[in-house]
Amino acid sequence: MYSTAHYWDQQYIYKKTGWDIGYASPSIVAYFDQVFDKSKRILIPGAGNAWEAEYLWNNGFQNIFVLDFSQEAIRTFKTRMSHFPESHIICEDFFQHNESYDIIVEQTFFSSLPIKMRPNYVLQMQYLLQENGKVIGLLFNHHFNKDDPPFGGTAEEYQKLFSPAFDIKVLEKSHNSIKPRKGREYFLILEKKNINNY
């Protein structure tokens, strides 16, 4: 049920968006404040209200792409960011997307997916990234022990999941998480491995 666009449309319509902090994550902001090449192609999948896209756009990044399969999430973002390029707003299933990027931002998308879809997530991330492309963002560092999102994990599980396709550059406790998630998140940087070696 929670893997359908209809389910997520309902979450936005009825304001059941507890994952949405209402601004760009400080951990992700801190990373991009150190990225000086503002021409990089950046994808934010499962973007929702896409506060990170707004922050990046307002700070000179021009090649930001927002992707979500919830029409309601896309509508809300368009209303708030009416000056954002229409061609950079994509209402599509992430697993059907077919472009290439330098950086993909992970912010609560991974934790929203059914756990059985995680191997497909890894393959699709690798597919969408250009050579030496990176996934950066946040993952929960614990399990929630429930049957609906969010879903978490452990460092050992993430190492096993990502290491065949990516060099894990950083997987460590986030030092600047928002207060409700302090001590509960890993900051993550993955670099795509040479596809010939995978």
Side-chain angles (χ1 to χ4, degrees):
M1 178 181 178
Y2 49 79
S3 60
T4 68
H6 175 74
Y7 172 87
W8 292 104
D9 281 339
Q10 296 301 300
Q11 307 311 299
Y12 285 99
I13 290 168
Y14 293 107
K15 311 296 184 188
K16 297 179 180 179
T17 54
W19 66 86
D20 186 339
I21 66 176
Y23 53 89
S25 166
S27 301
I28 293 172
V29 166
Y31 175 85
F32 279 105
D33 283 349
Q34 300 175 66
V35 175
F36 299 108
D37 181 358
K38 296 191 174 183
S39 68
K40 288 186 177 295
R41 286 175 58 87
I42 301 166
L43 175 68
I44 306 176
N49 286 318
W51 302 103
E52 284 75 21
E54 179 176 351
Y55 177 84
L56 293 171
W57 180 260
N58 290 338
N59 283 273
F61 290 88
Q62 298 298 308
N63 289 316
I64 313 145
F65 295 82
V66 169
L67 184 150
D68 204 297
F69 70 173
S70 165
Q71 292 186 10
E72 189 63 23
I74 293 294
R75 184 195 65 76
T76 302
F77 178 74
K78 285 182 176 180
T79 299
R80 191 179 87 246
M81 292 287 289
S82 59
H83 56 289
F84 197 85
E86 180 82 19
S87 62
H88 289 207
I89 304 172
I90 306 160
C91 190
E92 186 179 39
D93 184 335
F94 166 75
F95 295 99
Q96 302 300 316
H97 190 53
N98 184 24
E99 294 290 339
S100 62
Y101 301 92
D102 299 300
I103 301 173
I104 302 178
V105 177
E106 170 52 54
Q107 167 66 326
T108 70
F109 177 51
F110 178 87
S111 66
S112 75
L113 295 171
I115 289 175
K116 66 182 181 181
M117 294 179 68
R118 289 182 174 180
N120 291 340
Y121 168 99
V122 173
L123 290 172
Q124 180 69 351
M125 283 290 199
Q126 195 207 41
Y127 172 70
L128 293 174
L129 284 168
Q130 298 179 11
E131 187 175 354
N132 300 319
K134 293 181 174 64
V135 178
I136 73 98
L138 295 160
L139 300 175
F140 286 110
N141 65 9
H142 61 94
H143 286 288
F144 289 88
N145 297 319
K146 59 194 190 72
D147 296 327
D148 56 354
F151 303 109
T154 66
E156 292 76 17
E157 290 169 340
Y158 297 146
Q159 290 274 357
K160 183 177 180 180
L161 179 68
F162 291 116
S163 60
F166 293 95
D167 291 320
I168 301 174
K169 299 297 186 181
V170 177
L171 179 61
E172 61 187 30
K173 189 176 289 187
S174 171
H175 300 298
N176 48 2
S177 295
I178 63 170
K179 189 173 181 179
R181 298 178 190 168
K182 191 170 182 63
R184 299 174 56 213
E185 292 181 309
Y186 291 125
F187 186 71
L188 177 77
I189 301 177
L190 306 174
E191 185 172 301
K192 177 179 176 177
K193 286 184 175 179
N194 185 324
I195 197 165
N196 294 326
N197 296 330
Y198 180 49

